[in-house]
Amino acid sequence: MEKVKRLDYVDACKWLGISLVIFGHMKMPNGVLQWIYAFHMPLFFVLSGYTYRVQKINKDFFIKKIKTIYVPFLLFALIFCRGEMSSWAYIAYGSRNALEMAGTYTVLWFLPCFFVAVLVFSLLMNIGNRSKHKAWILIAGVAVMLVGTKLCGMLKGAQPIIAKYGYPFNFDMALVGAVFMVAGHYFRQMINWLNAQKQWLLLAIVAVLFVVTGFTAYMNLPESLNPACAHVEMSVGALGNWGLFFVNALLMSFALIGLSVLIDKWISKKKLLLFIGQNSLTILCIHGTILLAASKVLPKLGLVGTDEMSLVVQGIVSYVIVIAASIPVILLIKRFVPNLVGK
C-alpha cells in the first residue's frame, strides 16, 4: 500500500490542539478555560474528517482502527487504573464516568468515543461515495446523528443509570464527533481554495474568526464538571446551547486549520512542533501524569500565586515541563513498545 504523505500544517494543527488540551487541564483563569473548552476536542474530530481517505469497510479496516485507536485506549487505561477487577469492567464500558469509577485517567474518554465516531463517519462516507447525491446523503446523515444525540440526551435525563454511567464508548458524543468529521471533510476544499489565494485573505479570515469566537465562546457556558468555572464539557455531554456550541467549535476549528497553514508557510524551523503534533495521541495519554509531577515542582520554583497572571506563568512552565518530559517517553515507546500507541 502506498504511504500517504503527511500534511505538515495538519501536524501543526494537532500541535495547537494537544497544546490546548494540556492547558485545559491546568489551573488557568476561567476565561481561558471557557474559551479552550468551546472547541478544543471538536478540533480533533474535524481534523480526522479533514484527512479522510476513501476506505472500504472490511476486516482490514476494523483491525486497523482497533489497533490504532482502541488498543492504545485499553492499554493506557489499564496501566493507570487501580488494578481491581471492577476497574476492568468499567474500562471495557468506555464512558468518561466509567473511567472515573475505574480510577484511571478520564481524559482517555476521547479514544473510545473517537473509535465509534470514525466507524459511523466511515460508514456514512462509504454510502455517500456510492451515490450521485453524496451531499444530500451526508446532510441526511448529519440530521440523523443530531436527532440521535438529542434522543440520547432525553433518555439520559430520564434514566438515572445512564446518567450515572453514561453511554458505552460515549456513543452520544461519538455521534456529535461524526458530525464534526463531516464538516472537516468539506473544510478541506475550502482551505485548499484559500491556500491558493493571497495569504492576506486567509490571515484576515482567521483574525475575524478569532475575534468573533472571542465573544461567542462566552455566550455558551453550561454547568460542567468544574463548579467554579462553567464551560462546555463534551466528555459528559454538557454542550449548552447547541447552536452556539457548533458555531463556536466549527469556526475555531476552521480558524486553527487556517492558522496552521500560515504557520507552515511562515516558520521554516518547526521540527519540534511537528513532532509534538505527530505524537499527540501519546501526549494525550501521558500528560496527566506529567502535570501531576509538575504541580509538585512549581512550588519549589516559587510559582505559587493564584492571581490570573501567576496562573498563566505557571501554565507556561508546566507546558514546557510536559513537552520536555514527553519527548523521551515518546522515543522510548516508539523504540520498545510501539504497540502501546498503535504502531
Side-chain angles (χ1 to χ4, degrees):
M1 181 182 295
E2 183 181 353
K3 188 174 182 179
V4 178
K5 185 180 183 300
R6 298 187 71 103
L7 297 172
D8 283 351
Y9 71 86
V10 171
D11 286 331
C13 197
K14 290 181 179 180
W15 161 66
L16 291 173
I18 196 62
S19 296
L20 290 170
V21 169
I22 295 169
F23 280 111
H25 292 147
M26 300 178 190
K27 291 182 179 179
M28 298 292 287
N30 284 358
V32 174
L33 293 177
Q34 289 164 341
W35 181 73
I36 288 175
Y37 274 81
F39 63 87
H40 73 319
M41 297 316 298
L43 172 64
F44 288 98
F45 292 104
V46 169
L47 287 175
S48 179
Y50 191 92
T51 56
Y52 171 79
R53 293 182 302 110
V54 177
Q55 303 173 73
K56 291 184 178 179
I57 300 181
N58 51 27
K59 178 181 177 182
D60 291 337
F61 171 83
F62 281 105
I63 291 175
K64 180 180 178 181
K65 298 308 175 186
I66 291 172
K67 177 182 177 182
T68 57
I69 304 173
Y70 191 62
V71 168
F73 159 71
L74 282 180
L75 294 178
F76 276 106
L78 289 170
I79 288 171
F80 293 121
C81 77
R82 289 191 298 263
E84 302 169 356
M85 288 293 292
S86 59
S87 296
W88 300 358
Y90 289 133
I91 290 171
Y93 193 79
S95 72
R96 189 265 176 210
N97 290 355
L99 294 177
E100 184 174 22
M101 296 173 186
T104 192
Y105 283 145
T106 54
V107 70
L108 297 174
W109 74 271
F110 172 77
L111 294 178
C113 180
F114 183 62
F115 176 73
V116 174
V118 167
L119 298 184
V120 172
F121 172 69
S122 298
L123 176 61
L124 180 60
M125 290 298 294
N126 270 260
I127 295 173
N129 287 331
R130 294 194 185 101
S131 171
K132 296 179 180 179
H133 307 288
K134 176 181 176 180
W136 287 109
I137 289 175
L138 294 184
I139 290 172
V142 166
V144 169
M145 289 186 286
L146 292 177
V147 170
T149 304
K150 195 66 176 179
L151 291 175
C152 285
M154 294 171 61
L155 185 60
K156 189 175 182 179
Q159 296 293 330
I161 191 169
I162 298 179
K164 179 180 179 180
Y165 294 103
Y167 285 97
F169 284 42
N170 301 281
F171 175 77
D172 52 341
M173 290 300 100
L175 295 178
V176 174
V179 171
F180 284 120
M181 289 181 179
V182 173
H185 177 66
Y186 284 103
F187 279 3
R188 179 74 172 266
Q189 301 172 33
M190 299 164 68
I191 290 291
N192 285 343
W193 182 84
L194 285 169
N195 200 14
Q197 310 306 311
K198 298 292 185 180
Q199 290 186 26
W200 66 263
L201 178 59
L202 181 56
L203 177 60
I205 291 174
V206 169
V208 169
L209 293 180
F210 266 87
V211 171
V212 170
T213 55
F215 289 98
T216 57
Y218 302 105
M219 297 168 61
N220 185 34
L221 302 175
E223 292 185 6
S224 64
L225 296 171
N226 184 352
C229 178
H231 58 66
V232 169
E233 185 79 62
M234 191 174 174
S235 66
V236 292
L239 307 184
N241 181 288
W242 273 33
L244 286 171
F245 166 70
F246 279 103
V247 166
N248 290 329
L250 290 172
L251 291 184
M252 273 310 302
S253 293
F254 190 89
L256 287 176
I257 295 173
L259 177 60
S260 300
V261 170
L262 295 173
I263 289 174
D264 186 42
K265 290 183 176 182
W266 294 344
I267 301 178
S268 57
K269 296 182 179 180
K270 49 184 180 292
K271 187 175 180 179
L272 176 59
L273 68 86
L274 295 181
F275 176 84
I276 296 169
Q278 292 163 6
N279 294 280
S280 56
L281 185 149
T282 306
I283 296 174
L284 173 74
C285 296
I286 67 174
H287 78 275
T289 298
I290 303 173
L291 279 177
L292 183 61
S295 68
K296 308 296 183 183
V297 173
L298 293 181
K300 297 180 181 180
L301 299 176
L303 301 174
V304 294
T306 57
D307 60 282
E308 290 193 353
M309 183 54 67
S310 295
L311 291 176
V312 170
V313 172
Q314 292 167 34
I316 293 173
V317 174
S318 296
Y319 176 78
V320 172
I321 292 174
V322 168
I323 298 304
S326 295
I327 292 173
V329 175
I330 291 169
L331 295 176
L332 287 171
I333 289 175
K334 284 186 172 182
R335 176 68 177 84
F336 297 106
V337 280
N339 289 339
L340 192 59
V341 289
K343 304 297 184 181

